[in-house]
Amino acid sequence: NATERDGSEITQLTSSSTHRFIPWIKTDLLASFIEGDNDLDIAGDNAKEKSRNHQYLLQQKSSANLADDFAISLRNGLNRNERMIKSLFSGNQNFSGNLYQNEALLEKGNDEAKILTGLSSEVETFQLSENRSFTLDSIFMQGLLKSDDFAFQGGLRGDHHSRYGNFLTGSTGIEAKNFTGIWSVQYSRGYKAPSLYQLYGPPLVGFPAVGNTNLVPESNQSYETSWKKKLASWELENVIFHNRLSNLIAFTNSGYKNQGRFIAEGMEPSLKWKKERGEIRGSYTHQRFRHQQSVVLRRPYNMAQLSGTYFLSDALELFAKMRWFDSRKDTFGGRTIKLSSFETYDVGGSFRWGKQQVSLQLVNLANRDYEEIAGFSVMPRSVFGSYALTF
């Protein structure tokens, strides 16, 4: 029942560069700073409270080609977040988190047979009234065998999490080509541990804590079969999937929580039509849920997408996109509610000359008012413009 539009302002500065100091060693560097300001309504509508978020990202990846079929690489990164909340009721709250990442990779092989193995370590810290941290140490290996008509891949990953213990995950799959198309079958198993913010995110006056210390890692097993056929102008594909999901971490109005076990299965046909001056892409997804232990949040039974791009010239292109989502379920105030179905339309275009490009995009053309998360409205009809210079 809010009467004001809460705004946001985001400023971002990013630098991405590649350096080749000697012919067989290359280093990629990434540095980014983001500042975001958001209006809040903790003390009530039109309270003019603020949340400010600073994010710093630094990353380097150095690769050395020791031979034609042998390479090693080293990646190091820091992702720091600082958040400040200014509230009439809660006063000022400041908290920050750091994620340190280190990874070493060894790759040997060629296009027909390749093996990738490595070690990685992550350290996450969270600073509020108490300092929290966890570490994640991993070892992994993946192999690929490939010919003109057949491919096989398989991989394993072992993790040790300082809070949640040991995990073994991996994937395997085969792909075969014949006159009817490209067929593939794949199985994968994975997990995701809660972040420290999801565990210890602070409360605000009048609201429960965002964090939930009872969270457990989410896990899944995925089975997938696909068929793809390429013609002169057409590309057709159909995917049949069966996912067994457990303890998915979801954000609700009462903070983060684990969903119960459930099975999501269905199919996703898609097509692409391409000519010299344009292309059309479309996809449709149908899924059903079985053996759900609790409400399956925000997952529609049906959804579809259709987009088209037309190249008026080598420099000028126009595009349009439509998305449709069936109704979904969510929780609000401790009860299950229904989120209405909706569709959105986006149009835009871009023009390039030399090393410069300008783009214009109109989002939510029909100005649809809908919710993807209960209680959180989305952006109304909006115009985005951009200018890019490459040097």
Side-chain angles (χ1 to χ4, degrees):
N1 299 318
T3 59
E4 72 158 343
R5 293 187 182 274
D6 293 325
S8 66
E9 180 178 327
I10 299 173
T11 304
Q12 179 173 351
L13 179 65
T14 299
S15 171
S16 177
S17 58
T18 298
H19 310 265
R20 191 175 293 277
F21 303 102
I22 55 179
W24 51 281
I25 294 182
K26 181 182 73 170
T27 298
D28 297 316
L29 298 176
L30 174 67
S32 182
F33 169 73
I34 303 173
E35 179 184 281
D37 290 313
N38 297 278
D39 295 332
L40 297 177
D41 286 332
I42 300 170
D45 191 26
N46 306 314
K48 302 299 182 184
E49 298 165 300
K50 289 284 187 181
S51 169
R52 170 168 291 180
N53 187 71
H54 288 169
Q55 182 177 14
Y56 306 85
L57 180 65
L58 296 171
Q59 185 171 289
Q60 78 84 29
K61 180 181 179 182
S62 297
S63 303
N65 294 319
L66 304 181
D68 292 340
D69 63 347
F70 182 56
I72 59 174
S73 61
L74 178 66
R75 182 173 67 92
N76 310 96
L78 165 64
N79 190 345
R80 176 173 176 81
N81 282 276
E82 299 174 348
R83 193 174 187 193
M84 298 142 279
I85 294 179
K86 182 179 181 182
S87 168
L88 298 177
F89 285 170
S90 306
N92 296 338
Q93 293 192 53
N94 300 306
F95 50 94
S96 61
N98 297 301
L99 178 63
Y100 304 92
Q101 297 173 302
N102 299 283
E103 185 176 71
L105 298 172
L106 184 152
E107 186 175 3
K108 182 172 178 59
N110 50 41
D111 293 339
E112 296 179 350
K114 185 181 297 185
I115 188 168
L116 175 71
T117 185
L119 302 170
S120 70
S121 175
E122 293 185 1
V123 179
E124 185 177 1
T125 64
F126 184 76
Q127 299 163 341
L128 190 60
S129 56
E130 295 183 62
N131 293 336
R132 309 280 185 174
S133 66
F134 72 59
T135 60
L136 178 66
D137 299 316
S138 309
I139 182 171
F140 51 89
M141 178 179 293
Q142 184 170 7
L144 172 68
L145 295 175
K146 188 176 181 181
S147 66
D148 292 339
D149 299 320
F150 180 82
F152 168 80
Q153 70 87 18
L156 283 175
R157 180 184 182 96
D159 293 330
H160 175 73
H161 195 285
S162 59
R163 176 186 173 107
Y164 296 106
N166 299 321
F167 295 88
L168 181 64
T169 59
S171 68
T172 184
I174 58 173
E175 179 183 274
K177 301 177 184 179
N178 58 31
F179 68 96
T180 64
I182 303 173
W183 299 83
S184 67
V185 178
Q186 180 157 326
Y187 167 79
S188 59
R189 180 178 180 178
Y191 86 100
K192 180 178 180 294
S195 70
L196 287 171
Y197 181 77
Q198 292 170 333
L199 289 167
Y200 302 108
L204 300 171
V205 171
F207 293 87
V210 172
N212 178 0
T213 57
N214 295 319
L215 290 176
V216 298
E218 59 183 50
S219 61
N220 77 287
Q221 293 186 66
S222 175
Y223 305 84
E224 185 177 288
T225 301
S226 70
W227 167 83
K228 182 186 293 185
K229 180 69 173 178
K230 294 183 179 181
L231 304 171
S233 302
W234 293 86
E235 184 174 307
L236 307 174
E237 184 174 10
N238 189 37
V239 178
I240 299 174
F241 58 88
H242 176 96
N243 297 325
R244 295 176 175 265
L245 304 122
S246 180
N247 298 318
L248 289 186
I249 300 170
F251 177 76
T252 70
N253 294 94
S254 56
Y256 288 99
K257 72 173 189 177
N258 286 114
Q259 296 186 58
R261 294 184 179 89
F262 67 95
I263 296 174
E265 57 188 10
M267 62 187 302
E268 185 174 55
S270 62
L271 63 85
K272 181 173 73 172
W273 176 82
K274 187 174 183 179
K275 285 290 188 180
E276 181 180 356
R277 286 298 180 185
E279 68 177 35
I280 296 175
R281 296 174 179 262
S283 66
Y284 167 75
T285 303
H286 170 74
Q287 60 182 339
R288 65 175 185 174
F289 310 111
R290 297 192 294 118
H291 305 304
Q292 56 262 48
Q293 294 180 329
S294 59
V295 177
V296 179
L297 301 179
R298 307 178 198 121
R299 288 180 175 241
Y301 289 100
N302 301 282
M303 52 188 171
Q305 179 173 296
L306 181 65
S307 64
T309 304
Y310 183 65
F311 304 97
L312 290 171
S313 67
D314 292 340
L316 179 62
E317 70 177 66
L318 304 174
F319 76 88
K321 181 171 70 173
M322 183 277 290
R323 297 182 304 143
W324 171 76
F325 289 85
D326 204 352
S327 59
R328 294 135 294 135
K329 295 179 180 179
D330 206 347
T331 59
F332 191 86
R335 59 189 178 89
T336 301
I337 65 171
K338 178 182 177 181
L339 300 179
S340 300
S341 63
F342 67 91
E343 74 283 340
T344 63
Y345 305 92
D346 304 335
V347 295
S350 64
F351 179 71
R352 297 179 296 275
W353 72 101
K355 296 185 177 181
Q356 303 178 77
Q357 177 175 318
V358 293
S359 301
L360 189 68
Q361 184 176 359
L362 183 59
V363 176
N364 195 4
L365 183 63
N367 201 29
R368 288 298 308 271
D369 185 14
Y370 62 92
E371 293 177 336
E372 294 182 327
I373 301 177
F376 294 84
S377 60
V378 297
M379 191 176 296
R381 181 189 297 119
S382 306
V383 178
F384 291 84
S386 69
Y387 168 79
L389 172 65
T390 303
F391 58 91

